[in-house]
Amino acid sequence: MKAFNLLQKSCLKSCCSALIGSLFLVCFSARSTLAFLNPRSGTGTKNFPQKMSIEDEIASWMEDAGYGKVESSTSLGSSDWASFRQVCVSDPPTPDTSFFVKTSSRSAKEMFEGEALGLQAMYECSGDGEFALRIPKVFHWGDASSDRGSYLIMEYLKFGGSSGQKSLGKAMAQMHLASPSATAGNSDGKFGFPVDNTIGGTPQPNPWTSGGSTEDWVAFFRDHRIGHQLDLAGDQNMIEQWKKDIAPRLGGLFDGLEVRPSILHGDLWSGNIGSANGKPSVFDPASYWGHHEAEWGMSWCAGFGADFWDGYRSLIPKDPGFEDRKPLYDAYHQLNHYNLFGGFYKSQAARQLDQVKQILDDKGA
């Protein structure tokens, strides 16, 4: 119990810095394929004729977009990699609309492009109706013309109450079941994403696979998830074990399983989940197209209960071998936490990889 409490406290400490910036978002309308890949109409980067501060550029964009003057800008805190504020304007899109603005010292391509496109893809795949997720509307993102850094403008949403775990489970399943499409940024039904993004502050590579088969997924997760995080961690013992004892046999965890691309939130923990107007919402994504089971690699920091799984499994039953693949998907996030925060996450990841190796040994893979 003491070890569990230590894990829980460390999880909350390492994850809570993102929570402040995750509580003020709202859903948005579908966009075309062209808008997804080359955003316009208020999204994407704008070049300003003279140097301005980030605050001035945000105010200038608001006015140019027809939303009037900035009347107030209230700080909402910060995480390790971004700061947050609520901006109110004189002529908002609707009377109740204000804006949630993120700023970062990194470039928009590094920090915000992937998040914006991920939110759009999740919206396209969430559908509508009773079990649709509420996904944030993105208005604009860009680099500062003078100050070092970038910003992302979304709609502010007040979160409150609870939609219920069962509704959240069904809504996540509905999103995972959606077929790849051009409007969701995946016209060819492959694994990957249109751009690289970040998970927390860690770069996350998302190159498209050559196809959409189980073998393509295994190669993607092998090289661009575990292999990538191990390279960042630099632990030679784990790297050697991975390359020698696990990676060549990884397909053994997927024998007889047909994996299809699903849009994933990619960093689903309790701080990235909320409820607005009675509907579940997820935000701050690290999205890509992958195996739906990979979504649960952060469940050790999410608190999903029986009602959640009842809702999810009512639409997506558990596949054979789910428990065997779980430590593989957990290891990715444990490694990422080690690369972000250090500490005992390395030993946690090592134990997960040891478990994967033992499972493969037992299978005779």
Side-chain angles (χ1 to χ4, degrees), residues 209-226:
T209 55
S210 58
S213 69
T214 301
E215 291 75 16
D216 289 310
W217 167 248
V218 171
F220 178 90
F221 201 83
R222 180 192 67 212
D223 298 338
H224 305 299
R225 291 298 178 261
I226 300 294

Side-chain angles (χ1 to χ4, degrees), residues 5-60:
N5 289 336
L6 178 62
L7 172 61
Q8 185 179 53
K9 290 177 182 178
S10 178
C11 173
L12 290 173
K13 180 179 178 182
S14 63
C15 296
C16 70
S17 60
L19 176 58
I20 298 173
S22 303
L23 300 177
F24 307 97
L25 309 172
V26 76
C27 66
F28 69 106
S29 60
R31 302 234 190 352
S32 65
T33 306
L34 179 61
F36 190 96
L37 298 176
N38 187 21
R40 300 184 64 184
S41 302
T43 57
T45 301
K46 176 179 177 179
N47 294 319
F48 288 86
Q50 58 184 2
K51 290 185 176 181
M52 302 181 184
S53 67
I54 287 183
E55 291 79 6
D56 289 339
E57 291 189 17
I58 292 168
S60 177

Side-chain angles (χ1 to χ4, degrees), residues 127-314:
D128 51 22
E130 183 180 0
F131 301 119
L133 287 165
R134 293 293 300 273
I135 304 296
K137 180 177 182 178
V138 175
F139 287 94
H140 177 68
W141 70 91
D143 290 304
S145 62
S146 57
D147 287 355
R148 178 173 174 263
S150 58
Y151 56 95
L152 169 65
I153 301 173
M154 294 177 283
E155 192 169 358
Y156 178 101
L157 181 68
K158 291 181 179 178
F159 275 60
S162 174
S163 58
Q165 289 249 324
K166 192 167 187 176
S167 293
L168 174 62
K170 286 188 174 182
M172 289 301 301
Q174 180 168 289
M175 185 180 79
H176 287 166
L177 286 170
S179 298
S181 66
T183 53
N186 188 359
S187 58
D188 297 323
K190 298 178 180 180
F191 300 101
F193 202 63
V195 298
D196 295 340
N197 51 24
T198 57
I199 178 164
T202 306
Q204 181 171 258
N206 298 310
W208 290 114
T209 55
S210 58
S213 69
T214 301
E215 291 75 16
D216 289 310
W217 167 248
V218 171
F220 178 90
F221 201 83
R222 180 192 67 212
D223 298 338
H224 305 299
R225 291 298 178 261
I226 300 294
H228 168 67
Q229 291 283 355
L230 284 172
D231 286 344
L232 294 177
D235 185 284
Q236 292 305 311
N237 289 330
M238 283 198 290
I239 290 173
E240 183 177 356
Q241 179 195 48
W242 174 254
K243 289 183 175 180
K244 178 182 176 183
D245 298 326
I246 302 176
R249 304 185 292 161
L250 196 60
L253 296 178
F254 299 84
D255 285 344
L257 185 67
E258 182 180 357
V259 178
R260 54 174 297 277
S262 295
I263 191 63
L264 306 181
H265 176 282
D267 190 18
L268 196 64
W269 68 286
S270 57
N272 291 341
I273 301 169
S275 179
N277 299 326
K279 283 190 172 289
S281 180
V282 297
F283 33 83
D284 283 355
S287 291
Y288 64 99
W289 291 85
H291 185 201
H292 64 84
E293 289 180 5
E295 191 79 277
W296 316 124
M298 274 288 287
S299 61
W300 47 274
C301 203
F304 298 130
D307 285 347
F308 173 86
W309 290 112
D310 285 346
Y312 189 82
R313 294 300 180 203
S314 70

Side-chain angles (χ1 to χ4, degrees), residues 331-350:
Y332 176 64
H333 292 275
Q334 296 284 1
L335 284 167
N336 183 55
H337 272 60
Y338 173 70
N339 286 323
L340 287 172
F341 307 112
F344 77 103
Y345 288 111
K346 183 168 76 170
S347 62
Q348 293 290 109

